Amino acid sequence: MQSSKKVVVLGHFGVGKTSLIRRFVTDTFSDNYKVTIGVHITKKVVEIAVDSTISLILWDLEGTDDIQSIRQSYLLGTHGAVFVFDISRPSTFQHLNEDLQLVAEKMPEVPLMVVGNKSDLVEDAELKNLLQAQELTVDFLTSAKTGSAVNELFLKLATILSSDA
Ligand code: GDP
Ligand code: MG
């Protein structure tokens, strides 16, 4: 039997949640900004090993600058979460630790990936300084635009989820 895991993608407005999912699922990117309204759900089957697949059900939640206001009903039955911020926009990671705290409170025990997106917009050296200065712990630095680290991110999460019962 193939297992199916619900993954919610969270983060402030415009950080690239929809773009990351689109890059992962259809390997495309668009500069056209369309705000997600409500929730968008897409499924992708991921091969985590030979003869071993898992279905990720990706929940693209409407951007919100207030994590507290996310409807609890959207989060029910979540197996994994991705929190995305935009490394080119400090306002999206200024309160990262508090945001992550809230996410953990809303979804205790749920594996979480912390992702700095839009790595194509910031120089490597600048990025290092930024992360050090802010004392941020980040699992992946991605670019939905170039595709950098996007598959790695979702594969890592899928692998973690596949070993959870
Ligand atoms: P969401 O509100 O979090 O779903 O963000 P979107 O996926 O709608 O993206 C917001 C804007 O950022 C759009 O104009 C995207 O084209 C752009 N964007 C998203 N990801 C990237 C990225 O990795 N690099 C660059 N340069 N732009 C991106
Ligand atoms: Mg969106």
Side-chain angles (χ1 to χ4, degrees):
M1 200 191 77
Q2 188 185 57
S3 77
S4 181
K5 302 287 182 184
K6 172 177 173 178
V7 171
V8 294
V9 182
L10 309 167
H12 294 230
F13 286 110
V15 295
K17 299 177 293 296
T18 301
S19 301
L20 281 171
I21 294 172
R22 185 182 298 159
R23 169 61 74 192
F24 177 58
V25 174
T26 65
D27 202 17
T28 55
F29 177 78
S30 163
D31 277 312
N32 274 334
Y33 186 78
K34 274 213 196 89
V35 173
T36 308
I37 297 177
V39 57
H40 239 248
I41 303 172
T42 358
K43 172 179 147 176
K44 172 142 173 160
V45 177
V46 181
E47 192 171 334
I48 39 180
V50 180
D51 288 337
S52 173
T53 60
I54 181 172
S55 269
L56 294 186
I57 314 297
L58 300 162
W59 285 55
D60 182 5
L61 297 192
E62 184 170 53
T64 173
D65 290 335
D66 177 12
I67 307 291
Q68 201 69 56
S69 73
I70 298 170
R71 283 194 224 162
Q72 201 62 33
S73 57
Y74 285 158
L75 304 180
L76 274 179
T78 296
H79 299 101
V82 179
F83 186 89
V84 186
F85 64 92
D86 176 348
I87 59 177
S88 72
R89 254 190 320 136
S91 65
T92 68
F93 56 82
Q94 250 161 12
H95 304 289
L96 184 68
N97 290 331
E98 289 98 312
D99 285 346
L100 295 178
Q101 184 71 37
L102 284 175
V103 171
E105 278 167 23
K106 286 203 161 259
M107 294 180 283
E109 318 280 321
V110 170
L112 171 71
M113 293 285 144
V114 180
V115 175
N117 186 43
K118 309 199 188 179
S119 61
D120 58 290
L121 295 180
V122 180
E123 298 283 339
D124 282 356
E126 200 184 324
L127 206 54
K128 253 195 189 147
N129 289 337
L130 188 96
L131 294 177
Q132 270 169 6
Q134 306 259 351
E135 295 181 358
L136 298 180
T137 317
V138 178
D139 294 299
F140 285 94
L141 291 171
T142 58
S143 168
K145 186 165 186 170
T146 67
S148 176
V150 176
N151 281 329
E152 288 86 338
L153 153 68
F154 287 106
L155 269 178
K156 176 78 188 284
L157 185 57
T159 306
I160 293 170
L161 297 181
S162 69
S163 59
D164 285 358

